[in-house]
Amino acid sequence: VSVLSKKEAQKLFDSFKSLSYIPTKYLEDGCYARAHELALIAKNNGITLGKAFLLPSTDGDLLYPKNLSAKNPNRFTKSFDGWKYHVNSFVLVQNGDKVEPFVFDLGVSEKIQSFDEWKNNLARDPKKSRIITKPAASIFHDTTFTSPDLSIIDSLVETQKTIDELGMDEYLFRLESG
């Protein structure tokens, strides 16, 4: 995983955030596709990212972005309770004499976040939640599927277009109705 300065990492985050084709409104699903797309973009620009998978403290617990729940409750459907896991690409940041991992969570943050900041925002019990790091080609935390050079963002882009056209409630109704 590449090591950048904090300023360089934030600049990379800002460039990712400016990419209009990467959906960030439909947060119930698709973190794996966003994280993978960022890793591919970085790779094409000579930067190696890793993947960080955040898992809640227990199997029944869920992750939910605390910073969005109060500010923008319409960002999620009423039925959304949280994620079973959440994944983002990360880079190592030279922070003084320490090197620390920082994630690019485009959907829920306006800046890069250290692993601790990320856990504190998403986990009910940050101290008991855990982060598993994997190579950039890993799509899921159990590494059952890897995609070193293939983009998987297209299906998420199509989902976002449909949600924009129908609205979230109608989309979910049609999805559940078949």
Side-chain angles (χ1 to χ4, degrees):
V1 175
S2 295
V3 178
L4 304 176
S5 71
K6 196 167 186 178
K7 186 176 182 179
E8 290 169 327
Q10 183 61 47
K11 185 176 178 182
L12 183 59
F13 177 93
D14 294 339
S15 69
F16 288 152
K17 197 84 166 153
S18 72
L19 297 171
S20 60
Y21 79 94
I22 299 179
T24 58
K25 292 188 285 185
Y26 177 53
L27 295 179
E28 277 89 344
D29 189 22
C31 59
Y32 60 92
R34 281 187 291 273
H36 195 63
E37 189 70 12
L38 301 186
L40 291 176
I41 293 166
K43 181 180 177 182
N44 289 336
N45 288 285
I47 299 169
T48 303
L49 301 182
K51 298 271 183 66
F53 295 85
L54 178 59
L55 304 171
S57 55
T58 62
D59 283 342
D61 202 5
L62 297 171
L63 304 168
Y64 193 93
K66 297 170 192 160
N67 68 322
L68 290 185
S69 59
K71 291 181 183 175
N72 194 350
N74 297 328
R75 194 85 185 265
F76 300 99
T77 61
K78 294 175 184 110
S79 62
F80 179 68
D81 293 327
W83 300 296
K84 292 179 183 176
Y85 76 93
H86 191 49
V87 60
N88 278 289
S89 291
F90 76 94
V91 70
L92 297 175
V93 170
Q94 185 76 46
N95 200 1
D97 59 346
K98 291 171 44 178
V99 175
E100 300 176 77
F102 278 75
V103 297
F104 301 103
D105 200 343
L106 301 181
V108 301
S109 182
E110 294 299 320
K111 64 180 185 73
I112 57 173
Q113 294 177 303
S114 70
F115 277 8
D116 285 341
E117 290 171 317
W118 191 45
K119 285 169 64 172
N120 287 333
N121 182 39
L122 297 177
R124 292 180 217 260
D125 191 349
K127 291 183 191 229
K128 290 185 180 176
S129 64
R130 58 194 174 109
I131 293 175
I132 299 170
T133 59
K134 298 281 184 179
S138 300
I139 304 297
F140 304 110
H141 66 87
D142 61 4
T143 317
T144 55
F145 179 70
T146 61
S147 180
D149 297 312
L150 182 64
S151 174
I152 57 172
I153 199 79
D154 288 345
S155 65
L156 187 59
V157 170
E158 287 304 313
T159 298
Q160 185 62 60
K161 284 180 186 174
T162 305
I163 291 168
D164 289 345
E165 290 171 11
L166 300 175
M168 182 63 80
D169 291 335
E170 181 64 21
Y171 168 77
L172 289 175
F173 174 75
R174 289 183 183 194
L175 186 66
E176 292 169 12
S177 300

